[in-house]
Amino acid sequence: MAVETQTLSSCARAATAEEARYRIDRPIAPSRAGRVVALDPGAADVLRRTAQHGWANARFYVCEAGAGEGEDVVLRDVDGGPATLADELASASVVVMVATDDTGAACAHGLGKACWERGIQTAGLVLGDGTHAGTTASAAVAALRPHARVLLPSADEADVVDLLSALRV
Amino acid sequence: MLRKDINELLTRTGPGTAMGELFRQYWMPACLAEELPEDGCPPIRLKLLSERLVAFRDSYGNYGLIDEFCAHRGASLWFGRNEEGGLRCPYHGWKYDTTGQCVEVPSEADNSSFAENVKLTSYPLVKIGDVLWTYMGDPASQPPLPEFEFALTPAEHHYTSKRWQQSNWLQAFEGGIDSSHVTFLHSGGLKSDPLFKGAKGNQYNLNDTKPFFEVADSEGGLFVGARRNAEEGSYYWRITPWVMPSFTMVPPRGDHPIHGHFWIPIDDENCWAYSFDYHPMRPLTEAERQAMIDGHGVHSKNIPGTYRPEANMDNDYLMNREKQRTGEWYSGVEGIAIQDSSLQESMGPIVDRTKERLVPADSGIIKARQKLYRAATALRDKGATPPGVDPAHHHVRSAAVVLPQKEAFLDAARDDVRVRPGFPISSV
Ligand code: FES
Ligand SMILES: [Fe+2]
């Protein structure tokens, strides 16, 4: 049952290389105000380097568990400047958490909860081998699992850059 | 999004390209064994990795995969006469054996050695399971034969089909590790397809449409885990293995046969989607085999005598807006295979990945591209053997398991995702 159509572009046969050049070509706005958060000192080193790449809207932070109770987390700019969690999340559409060990478990929990409440997408990258029990990275994976919609348990520094580039942050 | 130069690198697989060289490190399906059903049968034309070839089975049962064009003046050997011990070009009678060696040039003297110096490019062609496999790389680094479980089970335990897809291999393959589309595009099939329905796990799928994902490295590629809520305190995990460059398996459902794919470039704008089903513990039932032949599950209903699906771009994939409206077929297209091919072909022959807007749920795809890019450039720059060449890397299974919430999926399921002869698939 062939479908009779008047022009190529009005049927599925338009999926040719020639027709592909008619795909509308307008600049694509950076879609994600990405907030990238190091959960421990090892991750902070990685983010200091990552921040050097030219990013559209991404901002980089280090997270520290606050002195207070429960979900209290404190953000600092990756170069040490002050930052306020509520302000930073207000404009965020994705939060990428980076960990190398489980010292940031409390931060992961606090950040994860704050993102959940605001409907912000979360991703977690664990640098090192997080797929075998007993490694420091696997402890980080366990800490991050409940709080990251997507988790890469065996990531490396290049994954951070690739993920952020792919997300156009 | 993906950088333009990386998109180019990953999608071009002709001779001399970085990705083409990567594919040429592996054994891969060249065609189905049913295409050369008996000794001395007619040869078939094949294009693989942008090279035009002819496959034939000589009168003694040897398989050959050789340059399509006769060394004399370039006639296609598809017209060849499959004679005693070789394929003869019908133009001037030059004859070739399965290694591409010319064995007879009738115009030369009977005792001439002319033919000895004429050899067409040829690649090995080996039958394992329902598939004829080839290796198109340097003979000096030819790896041991592939050891994928589906091909090694007894013949009654497996079924393999193929279909022509009018798109680049990469966008077809990416569908194979894109767990997040199943809940939408294939939602109808979970309830009705004879090869999926009835599994307990289907309920977890349908009850929780926002899975969490984990993407973990494996020796041969990746494991992509998608987790959904199960009973109190536990998660339902669906684990998809990828073995480089393009082997994927779909997580199982109940005691249905388990299935998966190979995505093989024909040229840069076309690929073969191979689809297999097998059950490691028992023969397929008559009903299962018939359902596969009829194009259910991951298979397709092809135009008789061809490997082109009946629903294809020339007939708008037989779009049915009524079924789309009712949700019976979420996209209005029938069957898992064509639901995938229709959308992947609609992207254009080579999708422009610089225009994508990816989300964290696409992390499996992001990571797979990175691994392919790294492997292709490490091979090009340092001669590094890529993951997936070692047959030990082929011993993987997909799995669908319910695990306690605190367990790491790969740690807890490590036995479930490797081939254990005599053990059933881990499936709910
Ligand atoms: S929603 Fe994924 S391609 Fe349109
Ligand atoms: Fe699909």
Side-chain angles (χ1 to χ4, degrees):
Chain A
M1 188 199 76
V3 176
E4 292 308 324
T5 38
Q6 293 302 302
T7 63
L8 178 60
S9 60
S10 59
C11 76
R13 274 180 297 229
T16 64
E18 270 124 77
E19 285 290 314
R21 71 195 163 96
Y22 295 108
R23 179 165 173 187
I24 291 172
D25 193 15
R26 300 255 171 86
I28 298 167
S31 60
R32 302 230 151 218
R35 304 291 177 251
V36 191
V37 184
L39 299 180
D40 55 61
D45 289 341
V46 171
L47 290 198
R48 259 175 230 116
R49 287 189 291 273
T50 309
Q52 305 306 312
H53 297 246
W55 300 105
N57 291 319
R59 288 188 221 146
F60 298 82
Y61 309 93
V62 179
C63 182
E64 286 161 5
E69 296 285 294
E71 277 85 54
D72 185 15
V73 292
V74 178
L75 286 191
R76 267 191 303 106
D77 199 86
V78 83
D79 332 293
T84 316
L85 179 66
D87 291 350
E88 298 311 322
L89 292 188
S91 54
S93 57
V94 63
V95 168
V96 178
M97 297 179 269
V98 183
T100 62
D101 58 37
D102 65 343
T103 55
C107 290
H109 181 70
L111 265 178
K113 184 157 184 289
C115 292
W116 181 264
E117 286 162 359
R118 292 166 174 81
I120 299 169
Q121 185 70 278
T122 49
L125 287 95
V126 176
L127 307 185
D129 174 11
T131 64
H132 288 83
T135 58
T136 48
S138 77
V141 169
L144 266 177
R145 174 168 291 114
H147 311 293
R149 173 68 62 180
V150 173
L151 192 55
L152 274 66
S154 49
D156 59 30
E157 195 163 333
D159 281 309
V160 183
V161 175
D162 281 3
L163 181 69
L164 298 179
S165 313
L167 298 180
R168 295 178 181 277
V169 297
Chain B
M1 66 154 247
L2 188 69
R3 257 169 41 201
K4 191 172 195 303
D5 59 314
I6 301 181
N7 196 34
E8 275 295 298
L9 186 140
L10 296 181
T11 53
R12 305 288 175 188
T13 57
T17 61
M19 198 62 213
E21 289 310 306
L22 187 77
F23 265 98
R24 285 168 176 80
Q25 304 300 302
Y26 301 90
W27 284 96
M28 58 181 190
C31 62
L32 291 174
E34 67 181 25
E35 296 178 69
L36 296 175
E38 57 195 26
D39 298 351
C41 65
I44 58 167
R45 280 181 282 232
L46 277 181
K47 198 198 305 176
L48 287 173
L49 306 180
S50 300
E51 294 184 42
R52 289 187 56 165
L53 302 159
V54 152
F56 71 107
R57 179 168 164 181
D58 75 11
S59 57
Y60 309 123
N62 301 312
Y63 290 106
L65 182 61
I66 64 175
D67 187 340
E68 179 183 339
F69 301 103
C70 180
H72 180 213
R73 280 169 51 206
S76 171
L77 292 169
W78 178 78
F79 292 94
R81 298 167 53 87
N82 199 351
E83 297 180 356
E84 172 88 26
L87 192 63
R88 190 185 295 281
C89 179
Y91 206 177
H92 309 94
W94 292 28
K95 184 177 171 189
Y96 304 90
D97 70 14
T98 52
T99 70
Q101 179 63 52
C102 183
V103 291
E104 216 186 303
V105 176
S107 62
E108 298 300 294
D110 282 349
N111 56 356
S112 157
S113 61
F114 179 83
E116 281 168 31
N117 293 317
V118 179
K119 190 172 187 300
L120 294 173
T121 296
S122 75
Y123 303 114
L125 193 62
V126 178
K127 181 179 185 302
I128 304 172
D130 295 333
V131 173
L132 298 183
W133 304 76
T134 189
Y135 166 79
M136 293 171 64
D138 177 1
S141 40
Q142 180 176 316
L145 291 170
E147 295 181 9
F148 295 99
E149 188 180 33
F150 81 94
L152 296 175
T153 53
E156 318 77 64
H157 289 224
H158 60 241
Y159 175 80
T160 314
S161 69
K162 75 173 192 182
R163 62 174 170 80
W164 169 31
Q165 178 156 334
Q166 292 173 264
S167 83
N168 183 260
W169 80 279
L170 185 62
Q171 65 213 55
F173 152 71
E174 285 174 347
I177 51 166
D178 169 17
S179 309
S180 70
H181 79 284
V182 180
T183 319
F184 300 94
L185 182 59
H186 305 317
S187 53
L190 289 187
K191 293 172 212 143
S192 60
D193 193 290
L195 294 167
F196 298 143
K197 68 180 182 191
K200 174 149 188 272
N202 297 359
Q203 272 321 310
Y204 302 131
N205 257 90
L206 296 167
N207 291 345
D208 184 354
T209 58
K210 283 194 185 296
F212 284 65
F213 294 102
E214 277 184 42
V215 183
D217 271 305
S218 69
E219 283 177 316
L222 290 176
F223 287 113
V224 180
R227 78 164 206 251
R228 293 176 170 83
N229 289 317
E231 285 74 20
E232 192 62 35
S234 58
Y235 290 133
Y236 169 63
W237 285 93
R238 294 181 60 73
I239 306 172
T240 302
W242 166 48
V243 178
M244 289 176 68
S246 64
F247 172 87
T248 60
M249 282 182 74
V250 181
R253 296 190 181 278
D255 188 47
H256 289 301
I258 187 170
H259 35 257
H261 303 280
F262 255 107
W263 318 90
I264 302 298
I266 296 172
D267 53 31
D268 293 344
E269 299 192 354
N270 296 276
C271 67
W272 290 120
Y274 284 86
S275 303
F276 59 82
D277 253 289
Y278 72 102
H279 200 299
M281 307 302 287
R282 63 164 173 83
L284 303 180
T285 65
E286 265 318 297
E288 284 168 348
R289 190 172 291 276
Q290 193 57 47
M292 292 164 196
I293 292 168
D294 292 342
H296 291 292
V298 293
H299 304 281
S300 55
K301 196 187 280 174
N302 294 338
I303 297 168
T306 77
Y307 293 99
R308 190 180 200 206
E310 279 181 358
N312 58 55
M313 68 166 66
D314 289 341
N315 53 30
D316 274 335
Y317 307 92
L318 307 174
M319 166 62 85
N320 185 324
R321 296 289 179 189
E322 178 57 20
K323 303 258 193 193
Q324 183 185 58
R325 196 182 57 75
T326 62
E328 191 180 334
W329 304 339
Y330 188 78
S331 72
V333 168
E334 184 179 14
I336 307 284
I338 309 304
Q339 285 159 5
D340 283 329
S341 68
S342 56
L343 295 177
Q344 292 159 5
E345 292 179 357
S346 80
M347 297 163 150
I350 303 179
V351 67
D352 180 355
R353 291 180 173 78
T354 66
K355 292 196 169 82
E356 291 171 335
R357 306 189 78 140
L358 298 181
V359 292
D362 294 311
S363 293
I365 289 171
I366 295 168
K367 183 91 186 172
R369 291 175 185 172
Q370 182 208 61
K371 289 194 75 122
L372 286 167
Y373 180 72
R374 282 189 189 178
T377 50
L379 172 69
R380 180 191 64 197
D381 302 339
K382 297 181 227 125
T385 301
V389 168
D390 182 345
H393 298 173
H394 305 168
H395 303 171
V396 295
R397 284 177 174 176
S398 58
V401 289
V402 174
L403 298 174
Q405 284 188 354
K406 57 176 184 7
E407 302 262 23
F409 88 98
L410 209 46
D411 234 8
R414 212 170 283 280
D415 278 343
D416 302 295
V417 296
R418 66 183 177 85
V419 170
R420 289 179 300 159
F423 281 84
I425 296 289
S426 301
S427 177
V428 280

